[in-house]
């Protein structure tokens, strides 16, 4: 999200959510079509996975508040979910590499 936000600020994109920013960056040619589509799908998967996990934890708990709402239990994921998570993380890794090269962030 921060990398997309950085690109959006650089290009004066006014969209306030990451999906809108990805779409605008793609339309401007700052992201390749495939890269924009993959980043949007990966973000969608992360959001969906986190929400489903939060709902499961709330249903299983008698507490009103979850102290670790973003913590995922990887053991609770089935094989397909783990594969999708792995693929999404690879997309993010590639995007991070792209940002590091673009903004000369190599350490």
């Amino acid at each position: 999200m921060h990398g997309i936000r950085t690109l959006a600020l650089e290009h004066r994109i006014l969209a306030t959510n990451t999906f809108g920013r990805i779409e605008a960056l793609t339309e401007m040619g700052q992201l390749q079509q495939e890269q924009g589509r993959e980043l949007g799908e990966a973000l969608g998967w992360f959001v969906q996975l986190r929400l489903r996990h939060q709902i499961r934890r709330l249903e299983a708990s008698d507490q009103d508040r979850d102290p670790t709402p973003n913590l995922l239990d990887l053991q609770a994921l089935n094989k397909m979910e783990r594969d999708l998570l792995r693929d999404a993380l690879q997309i993010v890794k590639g995007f991070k590499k792209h940002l590091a090269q673009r903004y000369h962030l190599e350490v």
Side-chain angles (χ1 to χ4, degrees), residues 25-84:
L25 287 164
T26 303
E27 288 173 3
M28 291 178 73
Q30 295 303 314
L31 292 175
Q32 295 175 0
Q33 289 285 348
E34 184 177 351
Q35 184 181 34
R37 180 184 53 75
E38 287 179 345
L39 285 169
E41 288 175 0
L43 177 60
W45 175 243
F46 293 139
V47 170
Q48 179 185 14
L49 189 60
R50 184 178 71 179
L51 180 60
R52 282 191 310 173
H53 188 76
Q54 288 171 340
I55 290 169
R56 272 192 230 132
R57 286 180 63 160
L58 280 174
E59 289 173 346
S61 173
D62 58 349
Q63 299 176 353
D64 291 336
R65 186 176 165 281
D66 186 350
T68 55
N70 295 318
L71 185 66
L72 295 177
D73 179 7
L74 298 178
Q75 301 303 319
L77 301 178
N78 64 38
K79 181 175 177 7
M80 184 180 77
E81 291 170 329
R82 284 192 307 273
D83 289 345
L84 288 170

